């Protein structure tokens, strides 16, 4: 919140950096998405819409190279518990007016991907999954559009890559597999 005392004249200006965007909302509900580099002068009845990003809550939406970290607990078809640590890479594309439609797109992506990955892991036995876990997970995350190899969400955020940092298996099962 910015409060201007009567001794100041002028308006609030917002500088939007290259690779970022803001959503300006008026009291009437009119929305305007500004993509940087740009400077936007706010009218007296306008505010910036906040959004939850991997860095936390902010008014500035980073348009590419967003890293989303997650840990997924899943179970194979032979009832072995596995823990998957991964990082999604995402970017915003398409119609800019949709970018701010989901306030917490990070949790939205995590929830969707957790369910998709858990369902996929459930189709494999532990030996089969462990032997090819990277390919299995990459196929789930990057499979939606066969031409472009990515999943696009309603707010035009695209998960364009995934890095699997660790696959952990129950200790007793890991010992048996070795």
């Amino acid at each position: 919140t910015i409060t201007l005392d009567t001794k100041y004249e002028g308006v609030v200006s917002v500088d939007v950096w290259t690779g970022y965007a803001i959503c300006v909302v008026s009291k009437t509900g009119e929305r305007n998405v500004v993509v940087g580099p740009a400077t936007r002068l706010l009218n007296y009845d306008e505010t910036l819409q906040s959004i939850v990003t991997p860095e936390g809550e902010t008014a500035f939406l980073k348009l590419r190279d967003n890293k989303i970290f997650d840990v997924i607990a899943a179970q194979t078809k032979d009832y072995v518990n596995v823990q998957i640590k991964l990082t999604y890479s995402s970017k915003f594309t398409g119609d800019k007016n949709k970018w701010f439609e989901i306030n917490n797109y990070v949790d939205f992506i995590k929830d969707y991907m957790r369910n998709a990955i858990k369902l996929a892991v459930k189709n494999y036995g532990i030996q089969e999954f462990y032997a090819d876990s990277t390919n299995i997970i990459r196929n789930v995350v990057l499979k939606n559009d066969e031409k472009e190899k990515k999943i696009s969400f309603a707010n035009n955020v695209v998960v364009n890559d995934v890095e699997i940092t660790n696959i952990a298996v129950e200790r007793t099962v890991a010992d048996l597999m070795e």
Side-chain angles (χ1 to χ4, degrees):
T1 302
I2 299 173
T3 305
L4 298 177
D5 198 351
T6 56
K7 65 182 178 179
Y8 297 107
E9 291 185 21
V11 297
V12 175
S13 72
V14 179
D15 291 327
V16 184
W17 302 327
T18 302
Y20 286 82
I22 60 169
C23 183
V24 180
V25 182
S26 72
K27 295 284 185 205
T28 61
E30 188 176 325
R31 295 167 32 134
N32 179 22
V33 176
V34 179
V35 178
T39 298
R40 175 65 154 73
L41 302 177
L42 296 181
N43 291 327
Y44 72 95
D45 67 337
E46 293 179 328
T47 60
L48 299 180
Q49 179 179 333
S50 67
I51 191 165
V52 177
T53 69
E55 292 79 26
E57 190 169 349
T58 181
F60 295 91
L61 177 63
K62 187 176 176 188
L63 299 179
R64 56 189 160 277
D65 300 325
N66 292 301
K67 301 292 185 194
I68 301 170
F69 303 97
D70 200 10
V71 177
I72 300 170
Q75 193 175 66
T76 62
K77 75 177 176 184
D78 47 5
Y79 303 105
V80 176
N81 294 320
V82 295
Q83 186 181 61
I84 306 161
K85 292 183 182 180
L86 40 75
T87 304
Y88 305 109
S89 180
S90 66
K91 65 180 179 179
F92 286 82
T93 62
D95 182 8
K96 68 181 182 180
N97 293 314
K98 292 185 177 186
W99 294 345
F100 288 84
E101 286 184 0
I102 298 174
N103 182 49
N104 190 338
Y105 78 90
V106 173
D107 284 349
F108 188 81
I109 289 173
K110 284 181 179 181
D111 289 344
Y112 179 88
M113 290 301 182
R114 280 181 190 154
N115 290 331
I117 290 171
K118 284 180 182 182
L119 285 172
V121 170
K122 193 73 173 166
N123 291 324
Y124 296 93
I126 186 59
Q127 287 184 320
E128 187 181 8
F129 174 73
Y130 197 74
D132 200 25
S133 58
T134 299
N135 286 329
I136 292 168
I137 293 168
R138 287 185 65 78
N139 286 338
V140 169
V141 173
L142 303 175
K143 65 117 177 103
N144 195 32
D145 185 339
E146 290 302 320
K147 293 177 188 166
E148 298 188 38
K149 297 286 187 191
K150 61 187 174 189
I151 293 180
S152 182
F153 294 92
N155 62 338
N156 287 339
V157 67
V158 173
V159 175
N160 57 337
D161 199 11
V162 62
E163 177 188 356
I164 296 90
T165 54
N166 189 30
I167 303 285
V169 180
E170 294 175 31
R171 169 63 64 204
T172 54
V173 176
D175 290 344
L176 287 173
M177 286 182 8
E178 286 180 15

